[in-house]
Amino acid sequence: MHSLQSLDEKLLHPPLIPHLYGWKRFCVEFLFFGAKEARSCLFVGLFFLSIFIVPKSGIWIIPRYDVLFIIAITIQLWMVYSKLETLDELKAVMLFHIVGFVLEVFKTSANIQSWSYPDFAYTKVLNVPLFSGFMYAAIGSYIIQAWRLFDLKIYHHPPYIFAVITSLLIYINFFTHHYFGDYRWYIAAGVLGLYARTTVVFTPYDRERKMPLLLAFILIGFFIWLAENISTFFGIWKYPNQITSWSMVHTGKWSSWALLVIMTFTITVFLKHIKKTVYIPR
């Protein structure tokens, strides 16, 4: 616990190297960027590591999905106890869990069957294992941790009301596209206009850098899509076309994850200490 807090302190206030220019500066900044990214993925990394190492048969008499649920709760409680996450941040993470779990229940229902969880579990509710919500919570945990470690600031963020409406439309479309058509690309077009001028300022080492916030959404969505491919390969859940043999998750899911990241980002913005670093033009 103390070692992680010490690591955070070193990442937030690194020892400065004098006369750092050119490729040397690039290497140092890239090293610290990677270290902060890895630290931000603490919950994600530990959770997905458990997915890889927990055998399909489970541990002792406990089914695999139940073991993963216990591990996810343990990691989350440990992060709060060790003050790597605050109670307010935990509330936001649990909201991500609920939002994700509701979506899972709908997507795996008998009428929809977008994907399925084939294994038995005592902690299944409406055919969805409770650990699944933590996969969505992991996205929120990453954003919260990265915000602190990179000292993120958001400039030209759209008015909150527009961001909230867009997020609601994104979430609703995940349900309604099964009945009324998929409007994700119309929503995506609206997102492009809404966040076109928005930039995220981050500090990998000692200087602030910036990038378009839209690019950040796309990149995070891509890495989640990669994680989804790994998870389906290990049989944690399966799409209909993966029942008999594994195949790569359709690239269209990348766009879905990027949109989900936007929704998660919007929820995160409303945390008190984060809202202070978001600047909306008048």
Side-chain angles (χ1 to χ4, degrees):
M1 179 172 67
H2 294 296
S3 60
L4 270 175
Q5 290 174 343
S6 176
L7 173 63
D8 285 1
E9 186 64 26
K10 290 179 180 178
L11 291 175
L12 287 167
H13 306 288
L16 300 182
I17 302 174
H19 310 298
L20 196 60
Y21 305 104
W23 68 269
K24 291 183 179 180
R25 167 164 288 278
F26 172 81
C27 291
V28 170
E29 290 205 17
F30 187 78
L31 177 64
F32 272 88
F33 178 83
K36 288 186 177 183
E37 281 289 336
R39 169 60 187 84
S40 300
C41 291
L42 180 62
F43 180 84
V44 181
L46 292 175
F47 182 60
F48 276 92
L49 178 63
S50 66
I51 287 178
F52 304 146
I53 65 176
V54 173
K56 185 176 176 62
S57 57
I59 297 178
W60 296 312
I61 60 172
I62 306 175
R64 174 169 62 162
Y65 292 163
D66 297 328
V67 174
L68 293 175
F69 179 58
I70 294 170
I71 290 174
I73 290 179
T74 302
I75 296 170
Q76 197 64 74
L77 292 177
W78 168 72
M79 289 185 68
V80 174
Y81 173 75
S82 59
K83 297 182 180 179
L84 300 174
E85 204 167 71
T86 67
L87 285 175
D88 279 345
E89 291 169 347
L90 177 62
K91 293 174 186 176
V93 168
M94 295 313 297
L95 178 58
F96 302 140
H97 185 287
I98 294 170
V99 167
F101 182 77
V102 171
L103 183 60
E104 290 283 325
V105 169
F106 175 78
K107 291 289 189 178
T108 58
S109 61
N111 295 332
I112 305 300
Q113 294 185 330
S114 294
W115 56 80
S116 62
Y117 292 90
D119 297 349
F120 169 79
Y122 295 107
T123 54
K124 265 188 174 181
V125 177
L126 301 175
N127 293 319
V128 177
L130 291 178
F131 87 88
S132 64
F134 282 101
M135 293 186 289
Y136 298 84
I139 304 171
S141 178
Y142 163 76
I143 294 175
I144 289 169
Q145 296 293 321
W147 211 298
R148 178 173 62 86
L149 292 169
F150 283 99
D151 190 24
L152 297 188
K153 301 178 184 68
I154 307 297
Y155 290 94
H156 300 294
H157 188 280
Y160 291 128
I161 184 64
F162 295 134
V164 170
I165 290 173
T166 300
S167 296
L168 287 173
L169 290 175
I170 290 171
Y171 192 59
I172 291 170
N173 186 69
F174 285 132
F175 297 87
T176 58
H177 83 84
H178 292 283
Y179 305 105
F180 307 116
D182 190 355
Y183 294 98
R184 83 175 72 179
W185 298 114
Y186 295 97
I187 297 172
V191 167
L192 287 174
L194 198 62
Y195 290 93
R197 297 180 61 237
T198 308
T199 56
V200 54
V201 175
F202 59 100
T203 307
Y205 180 55
D206 62 337
R207 294 183 182 177
E208 290 186 338
R209 306 295 181 184
K210 65 180 181 179
M211 67 184 296
L213 185 59
L214 285 171
L215 179 58
F217 292 150
I218 293 170
L219 290 175
I220 296 172
F222 173 73
F223 285 107
I224 297 172
W225 175 75
L226 285 181
E228 185 179 32
N229 274 282
I230 296 171
S231 298
T232 54
F233 179 80
F234 281 88
I236 302 300
W237 71 88
K238 293 183 178 181
Y239 288 100
N241 65 316
Q242 297 174 325
I243 299 298
T244 56
S245 62
W246 182 83
S247 60
M248 184 176 290
V249 177
H250 194 277
T251 52
K253 294 292 181 181
W254 180 0
S255 62
S256 297
W257 283 116
L259 289 172
L260 190 67
V261 169
I262 294 171
M263 189 181 75
T264 306
F265 175 87
T266 302
I267 295 173
T268 306
V269 161
F270 282 88
L271 288 173
K272 291 179 183 178
H273 62 290
I274 285 178
K275 202 169 186 178
K276 295 176 183 178
T277 63
V278 178
Y279 303 97
I280 301 174
R282 295 182 179 180

